[in-house]
Amino acid sequence: MSVAVSNFSNILKQMRDSYTGESPKEFSLAEHIGLQASSLSDAPADLQKVTKEHEQNLTNFHIQQETGLLNNVQSLEKDKNHSSFMDKMNKNRENAKKQATEMIDKYYNKLEDIGVKHPEQQELILVLADKVGAFMKAIMTKIMDVFVSVIATVTKAIRQAIDFIASSFKTFANTAKNFFAGLF
C-alpha cells in the first residue's frame, strides 16, 4: 500500500509547470519519490474516471485542432488571403497552447483534490500525473509541429508559384524577343 508523499501538492505543481508553458521540459519524478514507482494497474476507480475524462477532453481537442487547421487552409484556398491565413494560424497555435495548459491544469487539479482526500493514493497519483503530463507534452510538440509544417508548406507553395510565374513569363518574354529579333 502506498503512503502519503510529503510535499505532494508542491511536487504536483512542479510537474504541472514543467509540462506546460512556453518551453515544456522533462520532469524527473524519481528525484522526488525515488525509483520505486507504483503500478497503475490497480488504480482506484476515481483516478481512472478523471483520467478517462481527460482522455475524452484530449480527443475533443485533437478534433478541434484538426478542424481549425483544415478550415484555415480551405479559407486560404477560397479567399487567397495569405496574411489572414497567417494571422489565423498564429492565433490558433497560441489558442491551442492555452487550451492544452487549461486541460492539464483541470486534470491536475482533480488529481490534487483526490490526493488531498486520499493521501494513501498520492504516490500513485504522482506517477499517473507524470505519465499523462509527459504524454501531453509529446502530443503538444507534435501538434505544434503540424502548425509549423502547414505554414511552411503553404509559404513554400506560394513561393514556388511566384517563382514559377516569374520564370515562365521571363521565358515567354525571351521567346518573344528572340522570335521578333529573328523576323528581320
Side-chain angles (χ1 to χ4, degrees), residues 51-62:
T51 302
K52 284 289 186 191
E53 289 170 359
H54 182 70
E55 177 187 13
Q56 185 58 54
N57 290 339
L58 183 58
T59 299
N60 295 342
F61 175 76
H62 288 160

Side-chain angles (χ1 to χ4, degrees), residues 70-88:
L70 289 172
N71 287 343
N72 286 346
V73 172
Q74 290 168 346
S75 177
L76 173 64
E77 183 179 48
K78 180 180 166 189
D79 66 20
K80 312 292 187 250
N81 189 335
H82 186 257
S83 177
S84 174
F85 169 77
M86 295 299 282
D87 290 343
K88 288 177 190 175

Side-chain angles (χ1 to χ4, degrees), residues 33-53:
I33 65 170
L35 296 175
Q36 73 287 355
S38 301
S39 169
L40 296 175
S41 61
D42 296 325
D46 53 352
L47 289 179
Q48 291 183 29
K49 180 180 180 237
V50 298
T51 302
K52 284 289 186 191
E53 289 170 359

